[in-house]
Amino acid sequence: MFKHLIYFVIGASLVACSSHLNISGAKVSINVDSNEKQEISSFISPFKDSMDRAMNLILAESSISMEVGRPSSILGNWASDALFVNQTRTVKLSEPIFCLLNTGGLRSSIGKGPVTLGDIFRIMPFENSVVWLRMPLASLDKIQSYLQQSGGEPISNALMINGKLTVNGVSENTKYIWVITTDYLANGGDRMDFFQDAVERSDKKTLLRDVFIEEAKTQKNLIVSSENRIQ
Amino acid sequence: MGSSSLLLLNSFQWTKQLQVLKEKKLVILHTNDTHSQIDPFPANHPKFPNKGGVARRAKLIDDIRTQEEHVLLLDSGDIFQGTPYFNLFHGELEMKLMSAMKYDAATMGNHDFDIGLDGFLKAKQFANFPFLCANYDFSNTVLKEQTQAYKIFHKAGLKIGVFGIGIQLEGLVSADNYGATVYLDPIETANRTAKELYEQGCDFIICLSHLGYSYPDAKKPSDVRLAVENSNIDLILGGHTHTFMEAPSVHRNKQDKDTLVHQVGFAGLFLGKIEVSARKVACWKHAIE
């Protein structure tokens, strides 16, 4: 009996010297069935009213729901086309021009129905401005590799078919092309290091978001392209 | 047999033994990448119609706090950017709401640099919780002494060390916005900080990470890489990659112990809930003293 007791005490001391942690985890969904904390709703309310007054302005209509994704997407096409049309409307250059944006830079979706100023702020919340870069034609190879590696970014006035990037208007005489993008990307954001090859740079003072707002207003019904631009 | 052995102890020791044997539960609630999503998503949102919302999250947190005695509420960064609330109020509302929900700590994500260090500092004055950043050296910036590497909490009879690890800013954030911030190696800094917390006697060590869950390039620092290459971290609460996880993933670390990783998508669609049952038994030498 005493011998057994000794074993028990030794056993207890061994268990005792280690702390024992059991960990389990889950996520709790927050949805329409969740109640609101009234103090918080009331606190948000004046901020919301002020935001709504500014943001509920209807700019246009969308006939479909537009999302962003890779390799190309309806929202990516809309955004890059809007930038291209807006920037080239009154500009005529002998050298080819195309637009390149980043998939990660379009932060939300546009639902079917009215498109508000708030929707545009949600897809483009950043204070990024428009930049034109004149690049040697050879840099297109680097852009092509980048698009292959990343899986696709929004482009306009260009197509990538079977991994080969083609910009409209490029001929055998072409030495330079212009890329319209944002200051964030031109400065090396998202590792678009090929922009370092630029021989000329023109920083427009226009915000990309303001371009989207202007074009949405002009289009009234958003012009949708479901073309697969990156293949 | 068990009861007869307890009879050998006097009554004082017996009570003490029972007390320490009592099981306590720590509940860790967490969010990441809330991205200024104050309101629920609109009813016509293609992916998340009528989901999320801070007022609902606040109620859920309150309800859990009513049921549970020991709660920690943490955030893994990217509090800023994503709705016009941020464009109009520059982070003030996000900080005030997190303070009202009684967050215990947060770390900085890359988007928390979007209005520059000055902008972050202005918003931070509305936060009553600390920002934990172990691998951003802000010494030569306006954020000097505004953040701390870690904080130790005492809950559920446990000493809990919490620290923050951020992502490489170069190439991700405009250089103007992070200024003279010096980036320190995330894996090395995490291991050094966790070791320090361990040596200070922490029973449970949590890393708030904005590195991202994992990447095709296995060399890129990520939560999964940190989980395998650390020695003292029990739990990594991640962000950045907006990864929706059903439950924490479990990894074997360098000490051949478990390191768990969890992340709950983005925009406050979910609240992460980790339960730690602490059955900490005093050592034998304590039991008989």
Side-chain angles (χ1 to χ4, degrees):
Chain A
M1 176 65 195
F2 185 67
K3 196 174 155 192
H4 284 148
L5 189 59
I6 295 289
Y7 286 148
F8 174 81
V9 170
I10 291 169
S13 72
L14 289 175
V15 172
C17 282
S18 65
S19 64
H20 205 84
L21 300 177
N22 282 321
I23 310 169
S24 63
K27 61 179 186 193
V28 187
S29 175
I30 297 169
N31 56 41
V32 72
D33 300 324
S34 321
N35 291 319
E36 293 191 343
K37 181 173 179 178
Q38 283 315 313
E39 293 103 299
I40 296 286
S41 310
S42 315
F43 182 79
I44 295 169
S45 184
F47 289 92
K48 181 171 167 53
D49 291 346
S50 158
M51 183 189 71
D52 285 348
R53 271 197 300 279
M55 295 293 159
N56 283 357
L57 177 71
I58 295 171
L59 304 175
E61 291 281 325
S62 181
S63 58
I64 56 165
S65 137
M66 308 200 331
E67 288 182 48
V68 68
R70 293 189 162 107
S72 59
S73 62
I74 295 177
L75 186 58
N77 290 353
W78 182 81
S80 51
D81 287 350
L83 178 61
F84 182 80
V85 168
N86 176 277
Q87 290 290 295
T88 58
R89 193 170 273 135
T90 56
V91 177
K92 290 283 169 278
L93 287 178
S94 55
E95 290 167 340
I97 309 169
F98 84 107
C99 279
L100 173 62
L101 292 174
N102 57 329
T103 305
L106 299 173
R107 304 294 290 186
S108 186
S109 321
I110 288 183
K112 184 182 170 179
V115 180
T116 64
L117 182 60
D119 290 329
I120 304 294
F121 265 85
R122 276 180 280 271
I123 64 165
M124 188 58 224
F126 310 118
E127 309 296 306
N128 292 165
S129 56
V130 177
V131 175
W132 286 59
L133 296 152
R134 188 169 178 242
M135 319 247 316
L137 186 67
S139 298
L140 266 187
D141 289 344
K142 293 185 189 173
I143 300 179
Q144 180 178 292
S145 321
Y146 183 95
L147 292 173
Q148 287 166 355
Q149 279 200 340
S150 81
E153 309 296 333
I155 54 173
S156 178
N157 207 37
L159 276 179
M160 191 160 97
I161 296 180
N162 297 327
K164 172 90 182 115
L165 180 64
T166 314
V167 175
N168 288 342
V170 171
S171 70
E172 54 194 21
N173 300 322
T174 304
K175 289 194 172 65
Y176 294 96
I177 51 159
W178 286 89
V179 187
I180 310 173
T181 187
T182 64
D183 57 345
Y184 170 75
L185 297 173
N187 295 339
D190 280 10
R191 296 272 164 205
M192 290 199 182
D193 299 332
F194 46 79
F195 282 135
Q196 303 307 313
D197 298 349
V199 294
E200 207 178 318
R201 170 171 169 154
S202 168
D203 277 86
K204 309 292 174 190
K205 294 297 166 203
T206 321
L207 291 180
L208 180 60
R209 186 197 304 130
D210 290 339
V211 168
F212 293 164
I213 293 167
E214 203 179 313
E215 291 310 305
K217 281 188 193 163
T218 308
Q219 293 176 10
K220 290 190 181 72
N221 289 297
L222 296 191
I223 298 166
V224 174
S225 161
S226 48
E227 180 181 39
N228 296 322
R229 294 185 183 171
I230 310 273
Q231 296 172 38
Chain B
M1 174 70 207
S3 59
S4 66
S5 72
L6 285 173
L7 289 175
L8 290 175
L9 304 166
N10 71 32
S11 62
F12 167 75
Q13 288 157 340
W14 191 60
T15 314
K16 188 173 177 183
Q17 182 84 346
L18 271 186
Q19 196 183 336
V20 292
L21 278 170
K22 192 179 154 193
E23 193 160 296
K24 285 186 183 174
K25 187 165 77 173
L26 170 69
V27 177
I28 302 157
L29 302 178
H30 66 104
T31 50
N32 56 276
D33 301 274
T34 50
H35 282 298
S36 307
Q37 191 65 47
I38 311 293
D39 299 326
F41 280 100
N44 70 340
H45 192 274
K47 281 189 185 162
F48 312 112
N50 215 343
K51 292 193 171 162
V54 168
R56 294 168 178 172
R57 194 199 319 161
K59 177 72 169 72
L60 179 60
I61 291 165
D62 273 7
D63 289 350
I64 293 169
R65 285 193 206 272
T66 313
Q67 290 156 17
E68 306 287 348
E69 195 181 348
H70 308 288
V71 176
L72 261 183
L73 177 58
L74 304 167
D75 184 86
S76 300
D78 275 9
I79 294 161
F80 290 172
Q81 197 72 271
T83 70
Y85 280 113
F86 179 66
N87 302 89
L88 293 177
F89 309 115
H90 316 292
E92 175 187 336
L93 184 57
E94 291 83 333
M95 295 293 185
K96 285 181 169 173
L97 291 171
M98 287 177 76
S99 301
M101 286 185 277
K102 301 191 187 76
Y103 271 76
D104 291 293
T107 193
M108 285 176 78
N110 48 301
H111 284 296
D112 300 319
F113 291 82
D114 278 1
I115 43 172
L117 300 178
D118 290 306
F120 178 79
L121 186 60
K122 258 189 202 164
K124 192 186 157 289
Q125 65 179 311
F126 302 108
N128 64 7
F129 53 90
F131 276 86
L132 309 179
C133 303
N135 68 327
Y136 292 134
D137 178 355
F138 291 125
S139 305
N140 298 317
T141 75
V142 293
L143 289 189
K144 185 182 178 183
E145 289 167 11
Q146 294 290 324
T147 65
Q148 57 199 73
Y150 61 79
K151 185 171 177 180
I152 293 172
F153 298 89
H154 295 270
K155 300 226 177 206
L158 293 170
K159 190 171 177 181
I160 305 142
V162 184
F163 69 101
I165 290 291
I167 192 167
Q168 169 79 277
L169 300 172
E170 191 200 337
L172 192 60
V173 174
S174 297
D176 292 348
N177 284 339
Y178 61 84
T181 305
V182 177
Y183 188 67
L184 308 175
D185 183 277
I187 308 283
E188 197 183 303
T189 311
N191 270 313
R192 181 166 35 78
T193 311
K195 184 165 182 268
E196 192 179 330
L197 289 167
Y198 179 75
E199 284 168 357
Q200 288 195 38
C202 286
D203 305 293
F204 196 75
I205 297 174
I206 303 172
C207 173
L208 297 180
S209 156
H210 202 78
L211 293 176
Y213 184 71
S214 69
Y215 299 99
D217 174 6
K219 289 196 296 285
K220 187 171 172 173
S222 68
D223 294 341
V224 168
R225 204 188 127 192
L226 178 60
V228 175
E229 294 183 22
N230 86 87
S231 296
N232 299 105
I233 304 171
D234 295 287
L235 176 64
I236 300 170
L237 298 175
H240 188 62
T241 42
H242 297 192
T243 308
F244 288 93
M245 296 174 71
E246 289 305 321
S249 57
V250 184
H251 309 266
R252 222 55 189 158
N253 67 24
K254 288 200 307 199
Q255 300 282 320
D256 203 30
K257 287 182 182 158
D258 287 345
T259 297
L260 274 65
V261 181
H262 203 218
Q263 192 181 145
V264 286
F266 80 116
L269 292 162
F270 295 93
L271 181 68
K273 190 181 180 197
I274 308 276
E275 299 192 348
V276 182
S277 295
R279 188 159 58 85
K280 209 187 164 201
V281 188
C283 283
W284 180 68
K285 61 178 181 180
H286 292 134
I288 60 158
E289 73 191 2

